[in-house]
Amino acid sequence: IGFNVNAEDDISGTFNIVSKLNNNKVADLSRGIIQNGGNIQLYQGNGTKAQKWKITKNNASSCCRYGGSCFV
């Protein structure tokens, strides 16, 4: 799974991160547990909160967020 964010892109809101190999699979926070070191898995898309991601920019790179945790 990967994503690119350009400086001029509007990245407000939440997103599903879809697999390039199987567009039925999305990034999913395993068991929906928000914690540092939490597991991210590819899982069948089902629209739950565990599959909604917010992409934020920082000085070094882009960060994929769920809750307050940053997963890179």
Coordinates of all heavy atoms in Angstrom, one line a residue:
I1 N 0.9 -1.2 0.0 CA 0.0 0.0 0.0 C 0.9 1.2 0.0 O 1.9 1.3 0.7 CB -0.9 0.0 1.2 CG1 -1.9 -1.2 1.2 CG2 -1.7 1.3 1.3 CD1 -2.7 -1.3 2.5
G2 N 0.6 2.2 -0.8 CA 1.3 3.4 -0.8 C 0.5 4.5 -1.3 O -0.6 4.3 -1.9
F3 N 0.9 5.7 -1.0 CA 0.2 6.9 -1.5 C 1.2 8.0 -1.7 O 2.2 8.1 -1.1 CB -0.9 7.3 -0.6 CG -0.5 7.7 0.8 CD1 -0.2 9.0 1.1 CD2 -0.4 6.7 1.8 CE1 0.3 9.3 2.4 CE2 0.0 7.0 3.1 CZ 0.3 8.3 3.4
N4 N 0.9 8.9 -2.6 CA 1.6 10.1 -2.8 C 0.7 11.3 -2.6 O -0.4 11.4 -3.1 CB 2.2 10.2 -4.3 CG 3.2 9.1 -4.5 OD1 4.0 8.8 -3.7 ND2 3.1 8.4 -5.6
V5 N 1.3 12.3 -1.9 CA 0.5 13.6 -1.7 C 1.4 14.7 -2.2 O 2.5 14.9 -1.8 CB 0.2 13.8 -0.2 CG1 -0.5 15.1 0.0 CG2 -0.6 12.6 0.3
N6 N 0.9 15.5 -3.1 CA 1.6 16.7 -3.6 C 1.2 17.9 -2.7 O 0.1 18.0 -2.1 CB 1.1 17.0 -5.1 CG 1.5 15.9 -6.0 OD1 2.6 15.3 -5.9 ND2 0.6 15.5 -6.9
A7 N 2.1 18.8 -2.7 CA 1.9 20.0 -1.8 C 0.6 20.7 -2.1 O 0.0 21.3 -1.2 CB 3.1 20.9 -2.0
E8 N 0.2 20.7 -3.4 CA -1.0 21.5 -3.7 C -2.3 20.7 -3.6 O -3.4 21.2 -3.8 CB -0.9 22.0 -5.2 CG -0.8 21.0 -6.3 CD 0.7 20.4 -6.5 OE1 1.6 20.8 -5.8 OE2 0.8 19.5 -7.3
D9 N -2.2 19.4 -3.3 CA -3.4 18.5 -3.2 C -4.2 18.9 -2.0 O -3.7 19.3 -0.9 CB -3.0 17.1 -3.0 CG -2.4 16.4 -4.3 OD1 -2.6 17.1 -5.3 OD2 -1.9 15.4 -4.2
D10 N -5.5 18.9 -2.1 CA -6.5 19.1 -1.0 C -6.6 17.7 -0.4 O -7.2 16.8 -1.0 CB -7.8 19.6 -1.5 CG -8.8 19.8 -0.4 OD1 -8.5 19.7 0.8 OD2 -10.0 19.9 -0.8
I11 N -6.2 17.6 0.9 CA -6.3 16.3 1.5 C -7.2 16.4 2.8 O -6.9 15.7 3.8 CB -4.9 15.8 1.9 CG1 -4.1 16.8 2.7 CG2 -4.1 15.4 0.6 CD1 -2.8 16.2 3.3
S12 N -8.2 17.2 2.7 CA -9.1 17.3 3.8 C -10.1 16.1 3.8 O -10.3 15.5 2.8 CB -9.9 18.6 3.8 OG -10.6 18.7 2.6
G13 N -10.6 15.7 5.0 CA -11.6 14.6 5.0 C -10.9 13.3 5.3 O -9.7 13.2 5.6
T14 N -11.6 12.2 5.2 CA -11.1 10.9 5.4 C -11.2 10.1 4.1 O -11.9 10.4 3.2 CB -11.9 10.1 6.5 OG1 -13.3 10.0 6.1 CG2 -11.8 10.8 7.9
F15 N -10.3 9.1 4.1 CA -10.2 8.3 2.8 C -10.1 6.8 3.1 O -9.7 6.4 4.2 CB -8.9 8.7 2.1 CG -8.8 10.1 1.8 CD1 -8.3 11.1 2.7 CD2 -9.2 10.6 0.6 CE1 -8.2 12.4 2.4 CE2 -9.2 12.0 0.3 CZ -8.6 12.9 1.2
N16 N -10.4 6.0 2.2 CA -10.1 4.6 2.2 C -8.8 4.5 1.3 O -8.7 5.1 0.3 CB -11.2 3.8 1.5 CG -12.5 3.7 2.3 OD1 -12.5 4.2 3.4 ND2 -13.4 3.0 1.8
I17 N -7.9 3.7 1.8 CA -6.7 3.4 1.1 C -6.8 2.0 0.5 O -6.9 1.0 1.2 CB -5.5 3.5 2.0 CG1 -5.4 4.9 2.6 CG2 -4.2 3.1 1.2 CD1 -4.3 5.0 3.7
V18 N -7.0 2.0 -0.9 CA -7.3 0.8 -1.6 C -6.1 0.1 -2.2 O -5.2 0.8 -2.7 CB -8.3 1.2 -2.8 CG1 -8.7 -0.1 -3.5 CG2 -9.5 1.9 -2.2
S19 N -6.0 -1.2 -2.1 CA -4.9 -2.0 -2.6 C -4.9 -1.8 -4.2 O -5.9 -1.8 -4.8 CB -5.1 -3.4 -2.3 OG -4.2 -4.2 -3.0
K20 N -3.6 -1.7 -4.7 CA -3.5 -1.7 -6.2 C -3.6 -3.1 -6.8 O -3.9 -3.2 -7.9 CB -2.1 -1.1 -6.5 CG -2.0 0.4 -6.3 CD -0.6 0.9 -6.8 CE -0.5 2.4 -6.7 NZ 0.7 2.9 -7.3
L21 N -3.4 -4.1 -6.0 CA -3.5 -5.5 -6.5 C -4.9 -6.0 -6.4 O -5.3 -6.9 -7.2 CB -2.6 -6.4 -5.6 CG -1.1 -6.0 -5.7 CD1 -0.3 -6.9 -4.7 CD2 -0.6 -6.1 -7.1
N22 N -5.7 -5.5 -5.5 CA -7.1 -6.0 -5.4 C -8.0 -4.9 -4.9 O -7.9 -4.6 -3.7 CB -7.2 -7.2 -4.4 CG -8.6 -7.8 -4.3 OD1 -9.6 -7.1 -4.6 ND2 -8.7 -9.0 -3.8
N23 N -8.8 -4.2 -5.7 CA -9.5 -3.0 -5.3 C -10.7 -3.3 -4.4 O -11.4 -2.4 -4.0 CB -9.9 -2.2 -6.5 CG -10.9 -2.9 -7.4 OD1 -11.3 -4.1 -7.1 ND2 -11.2 -2.3 -8.5
N24 N -10.9 -4.6 -4.0 CA -11.8 -4.9 -3.0 C -11.2 -4.9 -1.6 O -11.9 -5.0 -0.6 CB -12.5 -6.3 -3.2 CG -13.3 -6.3 -4.5 OD1 -14.0 -5.4 -4.8 ND2 -13.1 -7.4 -5.3
K25 N -9.9 -4.8 -1.5 CA -9.2 -4.8 -0.2 C -8.7 -3.4 0.1 O -8.2 -2.6 -0.8 CB -8.0 -5.7 -0.3 CG -8.3 -7.1 -0.6 CD -8.9 -7.9 0.5 CE -9.1 -9.3 0.2 NZ -9.6 -10.1 1.3
V26 N -8.9 -3.0 1.4 CA -8.5 -1.7 1.8 C -7.6 -1.8 3.1 O -7.7 -2.8 3.8 CB -9.7 -0.7 2.0 CG1 -10.5 -0.6 0.8 CG2 -10.6 -1.3 3.2
A27 N -6.9 -0.7 3.4 CA -6.2 -0.6 4.7 C -7.2 -0.6 5.8 O -8.1 0.2 5.8 CB -5.3 0.6 4.7
D28 N -6.9 -1.5 6.8 CA -7.9 -1.7 7.9 C -7.1 -1.8 9.2 O -6.1 -2.6 9.2 CB -8.7 -3.0 7.6 CG -9.7 -3.3 8.7 OD1 -9.2 -3.9 9.7 OD2 -10.9 -3.0 8.5
L29 N -7.5 -1.0 10.2 CA -6.8 -1.1 11.5 C -7.4 -2.4 12.2 O -8.6 -2.5 12.5 CB -7.1 0.1 12.3 CG -6.4 0.2 13.6 CD1 -4.9 0.2 13.4 CD2 -6.8 1.5 14.3
S30 N -6.5 -3.4 12.4 CA -6.9 -4.6 12.9 C -7.7 -4.5 14.2 O -7.2 -3.8 15.1 CB -5.7 -5.5 13.2 OG -6.1 -6.8 13.6
R31 N -8.9 -5.0 14.3 CA -9.8 -5.0 15.4 C -10.2 -3.6 15.8 O -10.8 -3.3 16.9 CB -9.2 -5.7 16.6 CG -8.9 -7.1 16.3 CD -8.4 -7.8 17.5 NE -8.2 -9.2 17.2 CZ -7.3 -10.0 17.8 NH1 -6.6 -9.5 18.8 NH2 -7.1 -11.2 17.4
G32 N -9.9 -2.6 15.0 CA -10.2 -1.2 15.2 C -9.6 -0.6 16.5 O -10.0 0.4 17.0
I33 N -8.5 -1.2 16.9 CA -7.8 -0.8 18.1 C -6.8 0.3 17.8 O -5.8 0.1 17.0 CB -7.1 -2.0 18.8 CG1 -8.1 -3.0 19.2 CG2 -6.3 -1.5 20.0 CD1 -7.5 -4.3 19.7
I34 N -7.0 1.5 18.4 CA -6.1 2.6 18.2 C -5.0 2.6 19.2 O -5.3 2.8 20.4 CB -6.9 4.0 18.2 CG1 -8.0 4.0 17.2 CG2 -5.9 5.1 18.0 CD1 -8.9 5.2 17.4
Q35 N -3.8 2.3 18.8 CA -2.6 2.3 19.7 C -1.4 2.3 18.9 O -1.3 1.9 17.8 CB -2.7 1.1 20.6 CG -2.4 -0.2 19.9 CD -2.5 -1.5 20.8 OE1 -3.1 -1.4 21.9 NE2 -1.9 -2.6 20.4
N36 N -0.3 2.9 19.5 CA 1.0 2.9 18.8 C 1.4 1.4 18.6 O 1.2 0.6 19.4 CB 2.0 3.6 19.7 CG 1.8 5.1 19.7 OD1 1.2 5.7 18.8 ND2 2.3 5.7 20.8
G37 N 1.9 1.2 17.4 CA 2.3 -0.2 17.0 C 1.1 -1.1 16.6 O 1.3 -2.3 16.4
G38 N -0.1 -0.5 16.5 CA -1.3 -1.3 16.1 C -1.1 -1.9 14.7 O -0.3 -1.4 13.9
N39 N -1.7 -3.0 14.4 CA -1.5 -3.7 13.2 C -2.5 -3.1 12.1 O -3.7 -2.9 12.4 CB -1.8 -5.2 13.3 CG -0.7 -5.8 14.2 OD1 0.4 -5.5 14.0 ND2 -1.1 -6.7 15.0
I40 N -1.9 -2.9 10.9 CA -2.7 -2.5 9.8 C -2.7 -3.7 8.8 O -1.7 -4.3 8.6 CB -2.1 -1.3 9.1 CG1 -2.1 -0.1 10.0 CG2 -2.9 -1.0 7.8 CD1 -1.4 1.1 9.5
Q41 N -3.9 -4.1 8.3 CA -4.1 -5.2 7.5 C -4.8 -4.8 6.2 O -5.5 -3.8 6.2 CB -4.8 -6.3 8.2 CG -6.2 -5.9 8.6 CD -6.9 -7.0 9.5 OE1 -6.3 -8.0 9.8 NE2 -8.1 -6.7 9.9
L42 N -4.7 -5.6 5.2 CA -5.6 -5.5 4.0 C -6.9 -6.3 4.4 O -6.8 -7.5 4.8 CB -5.0 -6.0 2.8 CG -4.0 -5.1 2.1 CD1 -3.3 -5.8 0.9 CD2 -4.6 -3.8 1.7
Y43 N -8.0 -5.7 4.2 CA -9.3 -6.4 4.6 C -10.3 -6.0 3.6 O -10.3 -4.9 3.0 CB -9.7 -6.0 6.0 CG -10.7 -6.9 6.6 CD1 -10.3 -8.1 7.2 CD2 -12.0 -6.5 6.7 CE1 -11.3 -8.9 7.8 CE2 -13.0 -7.3 7.3 CZ -12.6 -8.5 7.9 OH -13.5 -9.3 8.5
Q44 N -11.3 -6.9 3.4 CA -12.5 -6.6 2.5 C -13.1 -5.2 2.9 O -13.4 -5.0 4.1 CB -13.5 -7.7 2.7 CG -14.7 -7.5 1.8 CD -14.4 -7.8 0.3 OE1 -13.5 -8.6 0.0 NE2 -15.1 -7.2 -0.6
G45 N -13.3 -4.3 2.0 CA -13.9 -3.0 2.3 C -15.3 -3.2 2.8 O -16.1 -3.9 2.3
N46 N -15.6 -2.5 4.0 CA -16.9 -2.7 4.6 C -17.4 -1.3 5.2 O -18.4 -1.3 5.8 CB -16.9 -3.7 5.7 CG -15.9 -3.5 6.8 OD1 -15.5 -2.4 7.0 ND2 -15.4 -4.6 7.4
G47 N -16.6 -0.3 4.9 CA -17.1 1.1 5.3 C -17.0 1.4 6.8 O -17.5 2.4 7.2
T48 N -16.3 0.6 7.6 CA -16.3 0.9 9.0 C -15.2 1.9 9.3 O -14.4 2.3 8.5 CB -15.9 -0.4 9.8 OG1 -14.6 -0.9 9.4 CG2 -16.9 -1.5 9.6
K49 N -15.3 2.5 10.6 CA -14.3 3.5 11.0 C -12.9 3.0 10.9 O -11.9 3.7 10.7 CB -14.6 3.9 12.4 CG -15.8 4.9 12.5 CD -16.1 5.3 13.9 CE -14.9 5.9 14.6 NZ -15.2 6.4 16.0
A50 N -12.7 1.7 11.1 CA -11.3 1.1 11.0 C -10.7 1.2 9.6 O -9.5 0.9 9.5 CB -11.4 -0.4 11.5
Q51 N -11.5 1.6 8.6 CA -11.0 1.7 7.3 C -11.0 3.2 6.8 O -10.7 3.5 5.6 CB -11.8 0.9 6.3 CG -11.7 -0.6 6.7 CD -12.6 -1.5 5.8 OE1 -13.5 -1.0 5.1 NE2 -12.4 -2.8 6.0
K52 N -11.2 4.1 7.7 CA -11.2 5.5 7.3 C -10.0 6.2 7.8 O -9.6 6.1 9.0 CB -12.4 6.3 8.0 CG -13.8 5.7 7.6 CD -14.1 6.0 6.1 CE -15.5 5.5 5.7 NZ -15.7 5.5 4.3
W53 N -9.2 6.8 6.9 CA -7.9 7.3 7.2 C -7.9 8.8 6.9 O -8.5 9.3 6.0 CB -6.8 6.6 6.4 CG -6.8 5.2 6.8 CD1 -7.5 4.2 6.2 CD2 -6.0 4.5 7.8 NE1 -7.3 3.0 6.8 CE2 -6.4 3.2 7.8 CE3 -5.1 5.0 8.7 CZ2 -5.8 2.3 8.6 CZ3 -4.5 4.1 9.6 CH2 -4.9 2.7 9.5
K54 N -7.1 9.6 7.7 CA -6.9 11.0 7.4 C -5.4 11.2 7.1 O -4.5 10.7 7.8 CB -7.3 11.8 8.6 CG -7.1 13.3 8.3 CD -7.6 14.1 9.5 CE -7.5 15.6 9.1 NZ -8.1 16.5 10.1
I55 N -5.1 11.8 6.0 CA -3.7 12.0 5.6 C -3.4 13.5 5.9 O -4.1 14.4 5.6 CB -3.6 11.8 4.0 CG1 -3.9 10.4 3.7 CG2 -2.1 12.1 3.6 CD1 -4.0 10.1 2.2
T56 N -2.3 13.6 6.7 CA -1.9 14.9 7.1 C -0.4 15.2 6.7 O 0.3 14.2 6.4 CB -1.9 15.1 8.7 OG1 -1.1 14.1 9.3 CG2 -3.4 14.9 9.2
K57 N -0.1 16.4 6.5 CA 1.3 16.7 6.1 C 2.1 17.2 7.3 O 1.5 17.9 8.2 CB 1.3 17.8 5.0 CG 0.6 17.4 3.8 CD 0.6 18.6 2.8 CE -0.2 18.3 1.5 NZ -0.2 19.4 0.6
N58 N 3.3 16.9 7.3 CA 4.2 17.5 8.3 C 5.5 17.9 7.5 O 5.5 17.8 6.3 CB 4.6 16.5 9.5 CG 5.2 15.2 9.0 OD1 5.9 15.2 8.0 ND2 5.0 14.1 9.7
N59 N 6.5 18.4 8.2 CA 7.7 18.9 7.5 C 8.4 17.9 6.8 O 9.0 18.1 5.7 CB 8.6 19.6 8.5 CG 8.0 20.9 9.1 OD1 7.1 21.5 8.4 ND2 8.4 21.3 10.2
A60 N 8.5 16.7 7.3 CA 9.3 15.6 6.7 C 8.6 14.8 5.6 O 9.2 14.5 4.5 CB 9.8 14.7 7.7
S61 N 7.3 14.5 5.8 CA 6.6 13.7 4.8 C 5.1 13.7 5.1 O 4.7 14.5 6.0 CB 7.1 12.2 5.0 OG 6.8 11.7 6.3
S62 N 4.4 12.9 4.4 CA 3.0 12.8 4.7 C 2.8 11.6 5.7 O 3.6 10.7 5.8 CB 2.2 12.5 3.4 OG 2.3 13.5 2.6
C63 N 1.7 11.7 6.5 CA 1.5 10.7 7.5 C 0.0 10.3 7.4 O -0.9 11.1 7.2 CB 1.7 11.4 8.9 SG 1.3 10.3 10.3
C64 N -0.2 9.0 7.5 CA -1.5 8.4 7.4 C -2.0 8.2 8.8 O -1.4 7.5 9.6 CB -1.4 7.1 6.7 SG -3.0 6.5 6.2
R65 N -3.1 8.9 9.2 CA -3.6 8.9 10.6 C -4.9 8.2 10.7 O -5.7 8.2 9.9 CB -3.8 10.3 11.1 CG -2.5 11.1 11.2 CD -2.8 12.4 12.0 NE -1.5 13.1 12.2 CZ -0.7 12.8 13.3 NH1 -1.1 12.0 14.2 NH2 0.4 13.5 13.4
Y66 N -5.0 7.5 11.9 CA -6.2 7.0 12.4 C -6.3 7.4 13.8 O -5.4 7.1 14.6 CB -6.2 5.5 12.2 CG -7.6 4.9 12.6 CD1 -8.6 4.7 11.7 CD2 -7.8 4.5 14.0 CE1 -9.8 4.2 12.1 CE2 -9.0 4.0 14.4 CZ -10.0 3.8 13.4 OH -11.2 3.3 13.8
G67 N -7.4 8.0 14.2 CA -7.4 8.5 15.6 C -6.3 9.6 15.7 O -6.1 10.4 14.8
G68 N -5.5 9.5 16.8 CA -4.4 10.4 16.9 C -3.1 9.8 16.6 O -2.1 10.4 16.7
S69 N -3.1 8.6 16.2 CA -1.8 7.9 15.9 C -1.4 8.0 14.4 O -2.2 8.1 13.5 CB -2.0 6.4 16.2 OG -2.3 6.2 17.5
C70 N -0.1 8.1 14.2 CA 0.5 8.3 12.9 C 1.1 6.9 12.5 O 1.9 6.4 13.1 CB 1.5 9.3 12.9 SG 2.2 9.7 11.3
F71 N 0.6 6.4 11.3 CA 1.1 5.2 10.8 C 1.8 5.5 9.5 O 1.3 6.1 8.6 CB 0.0 4.2 10.5 CG -0.8 3.8 11.7 CD1 -1.9 4.6 12.1 CD2 -0.5 2.7 12.4 CE1 -2.6 4.2 13.2 CE2 -1.2 2.3 13.6 CZ -2.3 3.1 14.0
V72 N 3.1 5.1 9.4 CA 3.9 5.4 8.2 C 4.2 4.1 7.5 O 4.5 3.1 8.1 CB 5.1 6.2 8.5 CG1 5.9 6.5 7.3 CG2 4.7 7.5 9.2

